[in-house]
Amino acid sequence: MRRHTRRVYNLAYRFTGNRQESEDLSQEVFLRLYRTLASYRAVHGEFTTWLTSVTRNLLIDHYRRTRRDRLTDSLDDEKSPAEHKASPGRRPDELASASELSEQVQSALQKISPELREAVILRDLQGLDYREIQQVLSVPEGTVKSRINRGRIELARLLSGMGVQPE
Amino acid sequence: MPWTCLDTEERLSDYLDGLLAADERTAMEAHLAGCASCPALVAEVRSLADRLPRLEQAVEPTWLVYRILEATSGAVRVKREVTWKGFFAGLLAPRFVLGLSAVAATIFFLFQALGINPKKITAEDLNPVNVFRAGDRQAHLTYARGVSFVNDLRVVYEIRSRLHMQEASATPNAAPQQEEQKNAPSPQSDRKLKNDLLHHGPSVIAVGAMAGFAAGGLQ
């Protein structure tokens, strides 16, 4: 239970970038899972893939619901100095810190499109293979590969702009 | 066709994952060797793809699991399918039968108390005003019967005490052991009793008869 909760929570947190929303979404995922558990069949693939699929669908629903709020927030951000913009004055050893890199990645993830974001999260943060991602996203393999590739490139450019140096 | 920067960008993940064909890989590496911008991009994406899986996981709050367990423990409501068989089985359940019997008994006693004949029941009988009047009437009748019964009992005891007094005055020296037999009414005392009773109402006559019967039973 705790392992699955962490997986769902991480997926939600990486996608939304908000802990409070991730907690609520995690609970909602398990509620939905519990209600539809009877409909789970082996044809849906591994349980973990099915769990990821349910989580992803809920995240996309949540993304669409909150789109208007985010647009308003982004307008507000443009008026005030962005706190999470690149800080050129930081020392390299600070940027090397793991937790800081995690925050940088989190910040950069929020700036790429949800399609690319979910593909990168599923591949590089959740460790799913292409076939599982194809099942979760219900898109052809070529689309999965393309999204992962474009997502990585956009993320790398954003991190570079934040001062994160390659290892 | 020469390998371009756009080709590099499009096939970058395939290159890093080792999914490029040999000739494509050769062409791409030849391009990287002579390109000013692509090697930096390749290094950045390679580094990112290496570091992302090693990022520390976000740790959920401890109480989240308990909150989820609490929320899901009663989330599913079992939807019971109602069938005719199940419906009639429910009607024969002891709890339902006992409850129904109690309701029927209550209604029966209520009708009795209100003087309503269930076979000839009309809408007027169920009018609250009529129900109240019938209840009030029955209550007064019951009270009157009670009062009458108590009065009758009083008369009976009075008659018996008079009989005792008459017997005691007729045989003042009788032995105590014969007293019980003397307490029984004699034919003369029976006649006197009847005369006394004639001065009372019909109910007292009935009570007097009862007293005579009771006295006869003692003999």
Side-chain angles (χ1 to χ4, degrees):
Chain A
M1 176 69 190
R2 194 169 287 280
R3 186 166 57 91
H4 292 312
T5 307
R6 178 155 299 184
R7 171 179 279 274
V8 169
Y9 177 76
N10 266 276
L11 185 50
Y13 177 63
R14 289 301 182 191
F15 192 85
T16 63
N18 184 301
R19 289 191 182 274
Q20 177 67 48
E21 284 181 16
S22 307
E23 290 159 12
D24 294 342
L25 284 165
S26 300
Q27 180 173 331
E28 208 172 324
V29 165
F30 281 97
L31 273 172
R32 184 178 288 190
L33 207 68
Y34 196 65
R35 290 195 187 105
T36 56
L37 200 57
S39 67
Y40 170 69
R41 299 285 182 276
V43 291
H44 293 127
E46 294 285 327
F47 177 76
T48 309
T49 310
W50 186 56
L51 175 67
T52 309
S53 185
V54 171
T55 309
R56 182 260 173 187
N57 291 338
L58 203 73
L59 288 172
I60 293 298
D61 289 347
H62 175 261
Y63 176 82
R64 287 175 183 149
R65 273 202 313 269
T66 56
R67 180 178 289 171
R68 183 172 293 176
D69 298 339
R70 279 196 311 280
L71 284 173
T72 313
D73 290 346
S74 65
L75 287 173
D76 291 343
D77 286 348
E78 283 172 12
K79 290 172 189 170
S80 61
E83 295 173 4
H84 49 266
K85 288 268 174 75
S87 45
R90 288 183 180 175
R91 299 195 310 273
D93 59 331
E94 285 179 323
L95 294 174
S97 123
S99 60
E100 189 158 355
L101 177 64
S102 181
E103 286 175 20
Q104 302 271 15
V105 168
Q106 188 63 45
S107 174
L109 276 171
Q110 303 310 306
K111 292 175 181 169
I112 64 176
S113 73
E115 289 82 11
L116 304 186
R117 191 191 314 163
E118 65 184 2
V120 172
I121 291 172
L122 293 176
R123 178 73 187 108
D124 292 329
L125 292 172
Q126 297 275 317
L128 270 65
D129 60 30
Y130 287 111
R131 185 183 53 80
E132 289 171 326
I133 298 172
Q134 195 181 334
Q135 278 187 334
V136 170
L137 301 183
S138 304
V139 291
E141 188 179 350
T143 309
V144 170
K145 283 185 175 180
S146 168
R147 286 182 184 178
I148 290 171
N149 187 48
R150 284 193 291 138
R152 282 173 174 173
I153 291 171
E154 284 197 23
L155 205 58
R157 283 177 173 155
L158 283 165
L159 288 171
S160 176
M162 291 176 181
V164 179
Q165 299 296 321
E167 279 182 330
Chain B
M1 190 176 173
W3 194 272
T4 64
C5 294
L6 187 62
D7 292 329
T8 303
E9 205 169 295
E10 284 180 351
R11 307 301 303 276
L12 186 48
S13 285
D14 285 343
Y15 171 70
L16 295 175
D17 292 341
L19 299 174
L20 282 184
D23 57 331
E24 290 176 318
R25 187 175 188 83
T26 307
M28 182 166 172
E29 285 175 346
H31 172 80
L32 289 175
C35 183
S37 57
C38 285
L41 179 66
V42 172
E44 284 170 3
V45 175
R46 188 198 303 272
S47 171
L48 178 74
D50 285 344
R51 291 159 85 176
L52 281 181
R54 290 187 279 119
L55 274 187
E56 58 182 18
Q57 283 197 321
V59 180
E60 76 284 356
T62 320
W63 46 261
L64 182 60
V65 174
Y66 300 107
R67 198 175 88 176
I68 290 170
L69 284 173
E70 188 182 5
T72 52
S73 58
V76 170
R77 304 242 180 256
V78 178
K79 196 174 181 180
R80 294 176 68 181
E81 194 176 343
V82 179
T83 60
W84 285 110
K85 191 178 175 184
F87 178 74
F88 285 113
L91 288 182
L92 293 175
R95 190 190 300 176
F96 181 79
V97 171
L98 283 173
L100 197 65
S101 306
V103 170
T106 305
I107 292 173
F108 174 77
F109 286 119
L110 203 61
F111 278 9
Q112 289 293 316
L114 298 176
I116 297 173
N117 185 355
K119 291 179 182 174
K120 296 177 181 176
I121 192 166
T122 61
E124 281 299 307
D125 290 335
L126 300 177
N127 187 333
V129 175
N130 293 336
V131 168
F132 175 77
R133 284 178 181 163
D136 188 54
R137 178 174 168 275
Q138 285 297 325
H140 281 88
L141 277 173
T142 306
Y143 177 75
R145 282 178 191 143
V147 170
S148 172
F149 180 72
V150 170
N151 287 338
D152 291 349
L153 279 181
R154 190 187 298 162
V155 170
V156 169
Y157 281 113
E158 193 178 325
I159 291 166
R160 288 200 65 179
S161 60
R162 281 195 192 181
L163 287 173
H164 280 295
M165 287 171 65
Q166 285 179 357
E167 291 297 326
S169 60
T171 55
N173 298 321
Q177 63 269 22
Q178 294 173 346
E179 188 176 351
E180 191 177 340
Q181 291 181 354
K182 290 169 186 173
N183 285 340
S186 63
Q188 293 81 5
S189 66
D190 279 350
R191 278 193 297 273
K192 184 173 178 54
L193 175 64
K194 286 173 185 173
N195 290 332
D196 287 344
L197 291 174
L198 284 175
H199 299 291
H200 294 85
S203 63
V204 177
I205 293 172
V207 173
M210 285 170 59
F213 177 78
L218 289 173
Q219 287 180 333

